[in-house]
Amino acid sequence: MERVDVADGAEVSVAVLETGSGEGASYGAGVFDTASIVKVDVLAALLLRAQDAGRTLTAEERTYATAMIENSDNDATSALWRSIGTAEGLDAANERFGLTDTAGGDGPLWGLTQTTADDRIRLLRQVFVAEGSRLSEASRAYARELMGRIAAGQRWGVSAAADGSGWALKNGWLRRGTTGLWVINSIGRVTAGGHDYLVAALSRGSATREEGIALAEAAARAAVSVFTGGGPAGAQTSS
């Protein structure tokens, strides 16, 4: 990370896990606003509630889930946020998922859920790793499928660390009204060098959305290079 260009005033935290060995690494320990990466958390909580009730998702829930993950639709997210019991429901699910540093946003403000890069890796493990997951194989497969069909204009972020088309992700972006600065986050699974990696890159304080995307992508490349031995991440984007 020392060779990743971080603009003055910006902050970044990144974590990576190699799924085969279970070995990981992380940089930075700050708590960040999730913006839209919380949508994976909302989906996981929804799937867990359905499992508890011994049912599959309804047609309406599937419609909302598809819009929420693939297109990052906020109205669909708000509907499912209410369905899972807002922050209280999210926090209850996260406790079962083993997340220790995530707190749901107040009232309808799901995008202001607070989290850490390490907790995002714990969440991704629930989706991409069978061992220890509270989600069934069917639930995990459904979440992975949606994260692998992200709308074309949103295919940036941790996918920059993949060495081909092997990725599944969810991004988040939020321009804070008080400062005008950007929160840019990206989480997901990438394939590089024949191995699968879970990666979470969280950032805040970028002057532009493009600058924040470049930072998240650079952090993701640097994280995966810990295992692949590749060069450190540059600042170019790959959207």
Side-chain angles (χ1 to χ4, degrees):
M1 285 296 294
E2 67 185 7
R3 293 178 62 182
V4 172
D5 183 21
V6 182
D8 289 344
E11 298 177 67
V12 63
S13 180
V14 61
V16 59
L17 178 80
E18 199 273 304
T19 60
S21 66
E23 295 181 349
S26 62
Y27 170 88
V31 177
F32 292 76
D33 294 327
T34 56
S36 286
I37 60 169
V38 76
K39 293 171 182 178
V40 176
D41 214 335
V42 173
L43 176 60
L46 178 71
L47 291 166
L48 187 62
R49 287 171 68 89
Q51 287 179 202
D52 289 345
R55 66 173 181 84
T56 59
L57 298 188
T58 66
E60 182 179 57
E61 287 171 336
R62 285 181 173 272
T63 296
Y64 282 143
T66 298
M68 176 176 69
I69 300 298
E70 294 184 16
N71 301 309
S72 207
D73 186 273
N74 291 337
D75 290 339
T77 308
S78 293
L80 293 181
W81 177 250
R82 293 188 295 269
S83 179
I84 67 169
T86 65
E88 183 178 355
L90 187 80
D91 292 345
N94 283 340
E95 184 176 356
R96 295 170 65 184
F97 292 146
L99 278 61
T100 57
D101 297 306
T102 300
D106 292 336
L109 303 177
W110 43 261
L112 297 186
T113 295
Q114 299 280 290
T115 197
T116 63
D118 285 339
D119 249 14
R120 292 303 89 188
I121 295 297
R122 294 183 185 102
L123 176 64
L124 291 171
R125 281 183 60 93
Q126 294 292 314
V127 175
F128 291 97
V129 180
E131 183 179 358
S133 179
R134 294 279 189 163
L135 297 176
S136 68
E137 173 53 36
S139 292
R140 295 195 306 274
Y142 179 65
R144 294 194 300 265
E145 179 184 6
L146 295 184
M147 293 175 70
R149 296 200 310 240
I150 297 299
Q154 298 175 27
R155 295 176 185 177
W156 47 263
V158 296
S159 56
D163 58 12
S165 59
W167 55 262
L169 60 80
K170 182 69 192 81
N171 296 322
W173 57 98
L174 173 67
R175 187 173 183 265
R176 297 309 306 266
T178 53
T179 64
L181 301 177
W182 285 84
V183 171
I184 300 290
N185 301 324
S186 183
I187 63 172
R189 187 267 306 156
V190 301
T191 302
H195 296 267
D196 287 340
Y197 301 92
L198 306 181
V199 187
L202 312 182
S203 75
R204 59 174 167 244
S206 293
T208 66
R209 184 174 182 268
E210 292 73 21
E211 183 181 286
I213 290 173
L215 176 57
E217 293 191 336
R221 291 193 191 96
V224 172
S225 75
V226 170
F227 294 92
T228 62
Q236 82 178 65
T237 64
S238 62
S239 56

